[in-house]
């Protein structure tokens, strides 16, 4: 047990300790104070120098050191009069080693403070339907203690993973999905804009999971053998799948609705087909509206109009006839079956990928709504959809698209969002408030940190500099489902996938 300090001031909001020389405490480090049958856990939130010498005396002494003059004046008794003053903020109060809660009392004056050990968290239990997030962390040291959340609670109430680029957001998602694939008890849809989740060649990815053949489905324009070619029949795209993904004027929306009413599943094809005689019959649709709409949708779905006016799909992701009629419902089936479904979004435009995601989630939402009405929802797997770097979709457009709907009411239907972003600040408070779990990784942008701190379930006002200093893989998990903000380190995915089972053993079967 390593004593690192003693309490000299403070109260219920924070404690001040005098650091034992040489302890080298760091920001974010976890400390423990034992007091009778209670134990208190604290987080280091600031470190300062302190002396109880006269200030002039200190300047003189500093001078003797740097100028090399009269070294006899160097500080006497520096062992006791110069020290570091460390501020701690409360994390938890633990009673009898197993009941824990936000602190309601403070430890005795002048109590000794020690470094934390894994056993201090012996009250943490492995939850049902667990999802592995990382190892409990004290400052920059990961403890030998896995941190899991109950996946059903976590996913149904949405998750945001926020950090500036390069801090390990994608790595964390991969680590979470790896654990999820062990049990097939969650259906997760992910649009992989950088094609970094599946893996290719020697590049490790979810394809290397021992249960990949049962638990993973991959769709790509150019899939490896045994995986699915991404082809979506445009009959399975509905008008609402476009709303909130692309900008549409009111007359354009009206035109779409008229075509959808008259042509049902053929609406897109008929809308794009140039037939001047027929078009004239749509008295309510202005010719210029139709022209603009055709241009917009033609670009979006890569459709060229042939000389006879018939639309033709130039890109093999979309088609009007034959293939791909069941793609959207096949993906929905896979999700219902508790699989992880990756859509390779790296070779299609972002908006196209988002429209495919919207169509799938619309289908899943409709099914789950029906299950709920029929009383069958309880036996269905929890669904999650990973939305990466799509702040616009959850920002200005959120009230129009399926993702905003999921954020608002998905929890009633076992459908949750996992939003991954470097720009939490553009997500409206209404959406942020609906997100039950926030995983805050390193961020140098004060504005981003402030937004996350203001919207976190626990009081993180003392964590501003701690968050600024988080390194790759380090984060703070703040959730309505935990009683304290949990500092964790998420291991590198490659280490887990190459089975360094000795270190991360509980993650495997
Ligand atoms: N936990 C970690 N430990 C060490 N290095 C990491 C960790 N997480 C990520 N990295 C490294 O940082 C790089 C960026 O990580 P990534 O997950 O792609 O970040 P982001 O998605 O936030 O941009 C990766 O190439 C990886 O090598
Ligand atoms: Mg990333």
């Amino acid at each position: 047990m390593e004593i690192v300090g003693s309490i000299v001031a403070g109260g219920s909001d924070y404690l001040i300790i005098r650091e034992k020389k040489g302890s080298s405490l760091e920001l974010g480090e976890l400390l423990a104070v034992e007091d009778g049958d209670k134990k208190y856990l604290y987080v280091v939130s600031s470190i300062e120098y302190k002396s109880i010498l006269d200030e002039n005396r200190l300047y003189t002494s500093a001078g003797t050191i740097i100028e090399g003059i009269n070294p006899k004046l160097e500080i006497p008794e520096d062992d006791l009069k110069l020290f570091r003053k460390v501020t701690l903020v409360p994390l938890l109060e633990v009673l009898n080693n197993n009941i824990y809660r936000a602190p309601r009392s403070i430890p005795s004056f002048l109590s000794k403070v020690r470094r934390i050990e894994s056993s201090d968290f012996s009250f943490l239990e492995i939850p049902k339907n667990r999802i592995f997030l990382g190892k409990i962390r004290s400052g920059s040291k990961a403890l030998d203690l896995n941190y899991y959340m109950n996946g059903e609670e976590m996913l149904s109430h949405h998750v945001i993973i926020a950090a500036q680029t390069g801090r390990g957001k994608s790595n964390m998602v991969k680590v979470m999905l790896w654990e999820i694939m062990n049990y097939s008890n969650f259906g997760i849809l992910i649009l992989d804009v950088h094609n970094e989740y599946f893996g290719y060649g020697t590049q490790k990815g979810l394809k290397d999971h021992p249960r990949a053949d049962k638990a993973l489905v991959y769709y790509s324009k150019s899939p490896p053998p045994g995986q699915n070619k991404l082809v979506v029949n445009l009959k399975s795209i509905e008008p609402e799948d476009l709303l909130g993904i692309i900008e549409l004027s009111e007359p354009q929306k009206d035109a779409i609705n008229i075509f959808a009413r008259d042509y049902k599943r053929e609406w897109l094809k008929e809308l794009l087909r140039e037939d001047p005689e027929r078009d004239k019959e749509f008295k309510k649709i202005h010719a210029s509206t139709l022209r603009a709409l055709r241009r917009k949708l033609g670009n979006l779905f890569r459709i060229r109009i042939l000389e006879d006016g018939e639309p033709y799909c130039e890109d093999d992701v979309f088609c009007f006839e034959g293939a791909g009629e069941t793609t959207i419902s096949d993906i929905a089936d896979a999700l219902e079956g508790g699989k992880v479904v990756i859509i390779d979004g790296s070779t299609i435009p972002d908006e196209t990928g988002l429209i495919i995601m919207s169509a799938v989630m619309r289908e899943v939402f409709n099914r789950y709504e029906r299950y709920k009405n029929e009383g069958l929802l309880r036996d269905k797997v929890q669904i999650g959809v990973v939305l990466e770097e799509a702040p616009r979709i959850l920002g200005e457009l959120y009230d129009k698209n399926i993702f905003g709907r999921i954020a608002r009411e998905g929890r009633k239907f076992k459908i949750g969002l996992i939003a991954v972003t470097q720009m939490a600040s553009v997500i409206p408070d209404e959406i942020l408030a609906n997100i039950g779990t926030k995983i805050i990784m390193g961020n140098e942008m004060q504005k981003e940190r402030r937004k996350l701190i203001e919207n976190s379930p626990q009081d993180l006002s003392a964590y501003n500099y701690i968050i600024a200093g988080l390194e790759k893989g380090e984060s703070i998990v703040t959730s309505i489902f935990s009683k304290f903000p949990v500092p964790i380190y998420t291991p590198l995915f490659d280490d887990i996938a190459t089975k360094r089972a000795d270190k991360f053993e509980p993650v495997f079967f």
Side-chain angles (χ1 to χ4, degrees), residues 99-115:
I99 303 166
Y100 66 106
R101 62 185 190 196
R104 294 184 198 168
S105 60
I106 55 173
S108 310
F109 199 49
L110 292 174
S111 291
K112 285 179 184 160
V113 180
R114 64 168 171 83
R115 265 189 236 279

Side-chain angles (χ1 to χ4, degrees), residues 340-363:
V340 172
V341 180
I342 302 175
I343 297 174
D344 171 13
S346 66
T347 52
I348 53 175
D350 285 356
E351 287 180 333
T352 319
L354 286 166
I355 284 169
I356 298 174
M357 296 271 281
S358 295
V360 173
M361 293 319 293
R362 183 241 317 142
E363 170 74 19

Side-chain angles (χ1 to χ4, degrees), residues 187-189 216-219 227-233 236 265 322-343 356 359-364 367 383:
I188 309 286
L189 178 65
L216 184 67
V217 182
Y218 182 60
Y219 283 87
Q227 294 300 327
N228 305 284
K229 187 153 171 59
L230 181 62
V231 182
V232 176
N233 192 299
S236 52
R265 299 187 79 210
E325 283 212 47
T326 60
T327 302
I328 299 298
S329 64
D330 290 347
I331 296 177
D333 289 346
L335 294 173
E336 266 196 61
K339 295 186 182 186
V340 172
V341 180
I342 302 175
I343 297 174
I356 298 174
V360 173
M361 293 319 293
R362 183 241 317 142
E363 170 74 19
V364 173
R367 290 186 189 187
I383 303 286

Side-chain angles (χ1 to χ4, degrees), residues 101-224:
R101 62 185 190 196
R104 294 184 198 168
S105 60
I106 55 173
S108 310
F109 199 49
L110 292 174
S111 291
K112 285 179 184 160
V113 180
R114 64 168 171 83
R115 265 189 236 279
I116 206 119
E117 292 159 5
S118 304
S119 59
D120 288 321
F121 287 98
S122 57
F123 54 82
L124 283 181
E125 285 164 2
I126 296 182
K128 234 175 54 192
N129 291 322
R130 69 189 199 186
I131 292 184
F132 173 71
L133 294 182
K135 299 197 158 272
I136 302 268
R137 175 178 59 79
S138 171
S140 46
K141 286 183 283 294
L143 304 184
D144 188 18
L145 184 62
N146 289 343
Y147 183 64
Y148 303 96
M149 284 188 69
N150 174 318
E152 206 143 301
E153 285 179 350
M154 180 173 110
L155 293 178
S156 62
H157 287 68
H158 317 299
V159 185
I160 187 169
I161 303 177
Q164 75 192 61
T165 189
R167 294 292 169 107
K169 298 185 295 297
S170 302
N171 181 72
M172 170 163 241
V173 173
K174 264 190 278 185
V175 168
M176 280 167 56
L177 296 181
W178 183 271
E179 169 87 2
I180 283 174
M181 284 172 61
N182 283 340
Y183 312 108
S184 296
N185 52 357
F186 299 112
I188 309 286
L189 178 65
I190 175 160
L191 175 67
D192 184 1
V193 286
H194 299 119
N195 199 20
E196 58 187 338
Y197 291 98
F198 186 73
Y200 45 90
T202 55
Q203 178 79 42
K204 293 276 175 213
L206 298 176
K207 70 172 171 47
D208 299 298
H209 194 285
R211 292 189 75 243
D213 58 333
K214 299 179 206 73
L216 184 67
V217 182
Y218 182 60
Y219 283 87
S220 173
K221 247 175 101 165
S222 37

